[in-house]
Amino acid sequence: MGAFSYTDLIEANLGKLDAAAGDWKTMARGLERLRFDVYSGLVQLSDGSQWAGVNAGVTKDFVRMTAKEVADLYQEAKSISSVLEDAHGELARVQKRAKDLTAEAREGNPTREEGPDPGLLVMAGPNGTVKVTEAFCDAEGTSQRTKDLMQWYADTLTGLVAHAAEIDAAVTRALKRSHGGDPYNAGHAEYTSLDEDQLPRATKLASLGDDASGPQRAELRRLWQSLSPQARAELWTGHKDDLLAAGLLSPTVKQVAPDRGSGPHDVEEPGAEERRTREKMNLIAETADWTGDNDASRHMAHYLGNSGTDMDLPVDKMMSDVPGFRTHIEDDIRERQEEWREQALAEFKRNGGQPVAMPVETDNRDFSFTKDVNENWFYAVGSTRSNVTGVVTVVPDASGEPKVGLDYQANAWDRYNWDKDKGVTIDLPGGGSMSIPDGQMARLHTTGIAQEFDMAGSSSVKHYDLGSSAPNYDPLPKPDEPGREGGRTDPGREQQEGR
């Protein structure tokens, strides 16, 4: 049989799995009653009889052995029932997500105010991958935003296929261990859920920390979603730093270009005007560096460097430099913290007061920097998309009362590009200004002497007390201090990479 595919996931009849789980649950209940009857009736009668001798000893041993076999059958049926029930719930969640994303991709967003997103075709690729293409050709060519959307849908759906395959493999292993492979000897490994199979694997991957590869990090994030709240708490408590180093809090929302951008790269020959513009922008980048707009200078230099490689956004610095951006992030948390707290407390109660952990993530929200508030970030980023990811934990205090906490990070991402109708005017030291006409910056990209790039980053992880007996509304933690000044005397500043 080939690799588990997108078609397998979409077309799987999970009703049969649900029915099988129900049948095994009924079987387990019947065996539980039989076990009670055997021990309370047959075993007690046998052990309490006055019968003695060789036949009596053989018969009593046989009765006890039969009773144990009934108990082992009950254990096996209960394990199988639990595993199948857990698998059905997980696979149903993954399948629904895949179907929802497929429908979303095919529909597109024809009414998007900033420009419509086209409908996309989703199909199975080789070896469990998913391919996403445009349904119709665009006369202007495929925009960067559409390319990003196709890649995000393909990667996310491929991840869901991998997740379903991993659940399927975990179920297979659990069923084999529950059964033991001997039709005459019931009762082996005992499972209450798939946690017993998945938690050891997650623990092993978490222990790799920053050394985990890309595929290992992706698998760890999928396992994290599959684990029960109680198993997550165990993993989080024992491996929090490793999990953070492995990127557990990476955002899962769409990270795509906000607009079409300049268009395709290096499709025209540069002329004298483009070369003059490039020299002007090099001078502007140098000037911005000397005047303290180091991030604007760094990003412009990277654009002119023409590599197109991704760059990191120092989110802590952005929040420290621009209080409005920090408020924007904090508002994201404030709007959800009561809901998160109540959900986590409900899980804590369902788990009998045992520690629980729950992943949380906010939606994507835009923030625009303004020149009058902070010129550096206005020219470095302009507008950015952002969200918050985290883990809400509930642990019992000394008296068993719940303590609710949130570990979170802020995430921001954007694409450094210049629209075809966008120009720029830069104030120069000592007075005066330098202007680049509309469209000239974009032409540096299309003529291949500069190149757009993606930039993204996350803040340091902060802990916030969501309250014990009552919600907490104390101020949220401050972002980390920016650290390096980023000027020319700082030999480690990232700007050097972009020069």
Side-chain angles (χ1 to χ4, degrees), residues 173-322:
R173 290 191 297 268
L175 292 177
K176 284 182 177 179
R177 291 168 185 160
S178 294
H179 183 266
D182 187 345
Y184 302 105
N185 181 17
H188 294 274
E190 186 173 0
Y191 289 82
T192 58
S193 70
L194 285 176
D195 284 347
E196 285 89 349
D197 181 272
Q198 294 174 320
L199 182 56
R201 174 61 178 167
T203 301
K204 182 178 180 180
L205 290 173
S207 67
L208 298 174
D210 193 39
D211 292 330
S213 66
Q216 287 171 331
R217 291 173 185 235
E219 183 185 354
L220 178 59
R221 287 193 291 270
R222 293 191 294 267
L223 285 167
W224 175 256
Q225 293 293 329
S226 279
L227 292 174
S228 69
Q230 194 168 341
R232 279 196 215 107
E234 181 180 338
L235 184 63
W236 182 254
T237 301
H239 297 274
K240 176 181 173 180
D241 291 342
D242 290 333
L243 290 168
L244 294 176
L248 185 74
L249 298 187
S250 299
T252 65
V253 296
K254 294 187 185 76
Q255 297 183 58
V256 300
D259 47 45
R260 293 188 62 88
S262 308
H265 177 250
D266 195 16
V267 292
E268 302 176 65
E269 286 294 324
E273 184 65 28
E274 285 74 42
R275 299 188 189 282
R276 281 195 296 270
T277 297
R278 189 178 188 281
E279 290 308 310
K280 279 187 184 181
M281 293 314 301
N282 266 318
L283 177 60
I284 287 173
E286 295 283 347
T287 302
D289 197 24
W290 284 111
T291 58
D293 291 344
N294 307 115
D295 299 284
S297 173
R298 177 165 64 100
H299 291 180
M300 175 56 72
H302 193 63
Y303 178 66
L304 298 173
N306 201 23
S307 70
T309 57
D310 297 351
M311 292 200 77
D312 181 66
L313 282 179
V315 178
D316 281 299
K317 184 174 188 290
M318 293 163 70
M319 290 193 289
S320 294
D321 290 350
V322 184

Side-chain angles (χ1 to χ4, degrees), residues 43 46 107 126 128 188 266-267 279 318 325 338 344 383 442 486:
V43 173
S46 174
E107 182 179 355
H188 294 274
D266 195 16
V267 292
E279 290 308 310
M318 293 163 70
F325 181 56
E338 286 189 27
S383 294

Side-chain angles (χ1 to χ4, degrees), residues 341-406:
R341 183 175 183 276
E342 291 303 317
Q343 289 175 347
L345 284 171
E347 290 289 357
F348 179 76
K349 184 177 180 181
R350 271 194 291 270
N351 280 274
Q354 297 297 311
V356 296
M358 182 182 78
V360 294
E361 182 172 14
T362 65
D363 295 332
N364 172 11
R365 295 175 62 201
D366 290 357
F367 179 85
S368 294
F369 297 94
T370 57
K371 185 177 179 181
D372 59 321
V373 171
N374 191 288
E375 184 177 77
N376 176 47
W377 289 111
F378 171 73
Y379 285 119
V381 174
S383 294
T384 185
R385 278 120 293 284
S386 66
N387 84 333
V388 173
T389 50
V391 177
V392 177
T393 56
V394 188
V395 297
D397 62 16
S399 60
E401 293 300 311
K403 293 170 56 180
V404 191
L406 168 67

